[in-house]
Amino acid sequence: MNILDQIVNDKRKEVDLRRSLIPTSQLEQSVLFERDSISLTERLKNSDSGIIAEHKRRSPSKSIINQNLNVFDVAQGYESAGVCGMSVLTDGKYFGGSMDDLLLARASCNLPLLRKEFIIHTYQILEAKAYGADVILLIASILSNIEIKRFSEFAKSLNLEVLLEIHNEEELHKSVMPSLDMIGVNNRNLKTFEVSLETSKRLSTLIPDDFIKISESGISNVSSIKELQPYGYQGFLIGENFMKTDNAGESAKSFIKNLI
Ligand SMILES: O=P(O)(O)OC[C@@H](O)[C@@H](O)c1c[nH]c2ccccc12
């Protein structure tokens, strides 16, 4: 069994447990359900940098990245650095994140927030809304075409934007549909952890122009972004490169200064 299969197996158990404790009616009562979403796509369209900065304590590929930062400093730092949006990992077992991280990020900044999670059930989309997210991630390699349709349409009905993540051509073809807002190419293969920016370059021409294109993972310098921009990428998702430093916000700030 590869690591992605393991994560999804654990996630199914976790979601069952969560659903048995907190009914959807309770999630729908969250005050954050009434909040107007902030559009990530609009920010990306109007940005010179396109940086989406991630809060990520650890990962299965790198183990510990940084356990010493707190989410509100990171969120405020990213906001004052001028990023377009923030991605918050909420998986606990493999990434050291939590729903509380999302909630604290929401309370600390006015950035569009992406719930970075392995979504396999509509319940997790309600949770995303109830804890202050503006955008959800759907990972094509773990979902069927029908699930992608059902989940993305459900997200849109809650005024959440949808980022669909792909890693190869087959995943792209099975997923393209009007209920998506952004298509992200993960440069990291989640089954083997291999990283290559060539994946973004290769798939770029196949992504229809109706979607904002985002390149994800393994971006550690400005020259990688300059390399990807001619391929039509308007968003760049960066985690480890900022989180491995003592001050993620300052790191993002100097990165953006060098970029624009
Ligand atoms: O830390 P990096 O290499 O900059 O990567 C960030 C982000 O792209 C990565 O965390 C990610 C992309 N897709 C995912 C899906 C699940 C968990 C994590 C991810």
Side-chain angles (χ1 to χ4, degrees), residues 4 7 52 54-56 58-62 65 87 89 91 95 116-118 137 139 163 165 185-188 190 195 215-220 236-243:
L4 191 58
I7 295 176
I52 305 164
E54 187 159 278
H55 182 264
K56 184 183 192 180
R58 56 184 160 87
S59 72
S61 59
K62 284 280 151 67
I65 299 168
S87 163
L89 270 152
D91 174 77
F95 291 87
K116 190 57 116 46
E117 181 56 83
F118 299 84
L137 178 77
I139 303 174
L163 167 61
E165 174 176 306
V185 177
N186 198 345
N187 298 309
R188 182 177 295 114
L190 290 176
V195 179
S215 183
E216 310 174 359
S217 310
I219 300 172
S220 55
F236 306 91
L237 181 51
I238 302 179
E240 190 193 331
N241 185 59
F242 301 148
M243 285 298 292

Side-chain angles (χ1 to χ4, degrees), residues 9 21 52 58 61 66-67 69-70 90-91 106 117 122 132 143 145 148 160 203 226-227 258:
N9 270 352
L21 284 180
I52 305 164
R58 56 184 160 87
S61 59
N66 200 333
Q67 304 272 34
L69 305 180
N70 63 53
T90 55
D91 174 77
R106 177 73 292 146
E117 181 56 83
T122 51
L143 300 170
N145 164 279
I148 294 169
L160 294 167
L203 294 175
K226 298 275 186 215
E227 226 178 289
N258 288 331

Side-chain angles (χ1 to χ4, degrees), residues 5 15 26 35 44 80 82 150 171 182 231 246 256:
D5 293 335
V15 172
Q26 191 171 326
R35 165 186 166 269
L44 290 174
S80 67
R150 202 154 53 84
E171 288 172 12
M182 294 160 269
Y231 290 84
D246 292 338
I256 290 173

